[in-house]
Every structure is written in C-alpha cells, then in structure tokens.
Amino acid sequence: MSPSPSRVATQATRGVPPSTAGDLDAADLPGSAALGRDWEPFADPGGHEAGFRGNGTWTRERDADTVLLEVTPIGCAAAVYVPSYPKPVRALEGTYRHPSGGGAVTLLLQFAAPAHARRFFAGHRAVVTGCRAPDNLPDHAPTRLDIVPRVDENDLLVDVRREYGRGASPLRWTEVVRRSGPYVGMLIVGLPESESQPTPGQLTATMRGSMPH
C-alpha cells in the first residue's frame, strides 16, 4: 500500500505474490462499487520500481516488513516521530482505478492480538496528526505533504492529504483507518480536485462494511 502519495518502493522485485494472505481474501476488502461511481478494481502489474510482479488480480499479499515502511508518510515539513510498529501476521492489499486518473489502495492488517492492533493505530495517529505543510509554500519549494485530520476517534481516523511545492501530486487524498479487534483496515482514495470527493462518512461506512470482526 502507499498511504503517502509520495511513497516509492525501493526493494528489489520479488516473486509473484498470492492474491490472498492466509485466510484473508478479496471479500475482506471494500469492493470497487463501495468507493463510488466509476471506480474499478485494478490489477497492478508491478515492476522493478514497484518492488513486485503482478499476479493478474486486484489483490495481493504484502510482506509485513515492507508494508510497515510504506504506511509511514514521507514529505512532512517537520521531523515526524516514527513509532516502532508491531508487525502484522498477515497483510492483504487491494488496488483500484478511476477514469479521471485517480487511484485508491486498501490494506488490511491482521495482528497477533488486539493489543498489537491498538499499538499500531496509536502510532499511526501520532504520525498523521504531526504532518503539516507550511503556509504559503512557493511552487518551486521541495515537495511537502500536508495531512489534515478530519475524524479522530478511539478506533477511527480520517484525514485529507495534499502535496505542495515542486512536483506535487495533482490529486487530493482521503484516508480512513479503522481498528477492529486484531485488525486494522486502511483505505486511501486519490482524485483530482475537480472530481467529487468522497466524504468521511462514506469511506467509514465502506470500511465498516468490509472488515472482519
């Protein structure tokens, strides 16, 4: 998953990942219709820069070590404390595309115990709430990520992300993170500003309707 729009994978390309992770499968992830009109599942072909080879489906198992690196956003103006996340025992990713050029990624993490899921959720909250871009950042400045929390509850986070500066993504990203028992589900949806943006309520309902309990 790439919850930060700036994340670029650097690990060497590995074998073809399976489309399931243990007993987690596509039924445990949001369907494309739940994201809104015109969204479709996307079979990511992968490649050397992506760090994996596609399996021909829209879901793939993720390596626990690399996925923890990729859930941490990059491009924050101030130094952000990166917590020592507990490692999930299983991780499953799904990818989607929109005809406007938008994209979405969902990630379901299964931890060994609910306490581990709580630690991960608390650590991610600390990162999300500490990543703001300076006001009036000039267009030629290095790319900076700005994360604005919209919902911050005991088991639910929703934030909106934009990039500013040189090479900034034209997309606006909305992320929802939900914790339920030993599971943490993450969904990030990126669309051009001209498109109708998903609401926090819509994405929250999408996650609640798909995650195992």
Side-chain angles (χ1 to χ4, degrees), residues 137-144 163-169:
L137 192 70
D139 292 340
H140 62 272
T143 305
R144 290 289 180 255
E163 286 186 335
Y164 297 92
R166 185 175 61 251
S169 169

Side-chain angles (χ1 to χ4, degrees), residues 4-211:
S4 166
S6 302
R7 175 64 64 188
V8 176
T10 57
Q11 67 268 27
T13 303
R14 302 181 179 182
V16 178
S19 61
T20 60
D23 57 356
L24 302 179
D25 59 25
D28 298 308
L29 302 178
S32 58
L35 273 62
R37 183 178 177 181
D38 296 329
W39 283 98
E40 294 184 352
F42 173 68
D44 194 331
H48 181 73
E49 289 189 0
F52 72 97
R53 289 188 289 166
N55 60 15
T57 76
W58 67 282
T59 63
R60 65 184 175 103
E61 183 181 40
R62 291 301 312 272
D63 174 77
D65 291 315
T66 57
V67 79
L68 290 180
L69 292 174
E70 293 182 22
V71 298
T72 303
I74 59 174
C76 301
V80 174
Y81 167 70
V82 179
S84 177
Y85 288 123
K87 185 184 297 187
V89 294
R90 295 185 180 91
L92 183 67
E93 180 179 280
T95 47
Y96 317 82
R97 284 294 181 271
H98 191 271
S100 67
V105 181
T106 188
L107 182 68
L108 180 60
L109 305 176
Q110 181 179 1
F111 293 89
H116 295 180
R118 286 193 294 270
R119 278 181 52 207
F120 175 89
F121 187 86
H124 191 69
R125 170 189 281 127
V127 172
V128 165
T129 56
C131 185
R132 297 303 310 271
D135 293 334
N136 302 316
L137 192 70
D139 292 340
H140 62 272
T143 305
R144 290 289 180 255
L145 179 64
D146 187 57
I147 303 180
V148 180
R150 297 298 192 196
V151 178
D152 186 353
E153 299 177 356
N154 183 53
D155 62 353
L156 179 68
L157 285 171
V158 182
D159 65 74
V160 174
R161 305 177 177 204
R162 294 182 181 87
E163 286 186 335
Y164 297 92
R166 185 175 61 251
S169 169
L171 304 182
R172 170 182 169 179
W173 300 81
T174 303
E175 181 193 55
V176 57
V177 183
R178 180 174 181 261
R179 178 181 62 84
S180 177
Y183 301 97
V184 174
M186 310 177 78
L187 172 65
I188 188 163
V189 178
L191 284 167
E193 291 280 0
S194 59
E195 292 289 326
S196 177
Q197 302 293 323
T199 66
Q202 174 191 349
L203 295 184
T204 298
T206 296
M207 293 300 289
R208 284 180 172 154
S210 63
M211 284 180 62

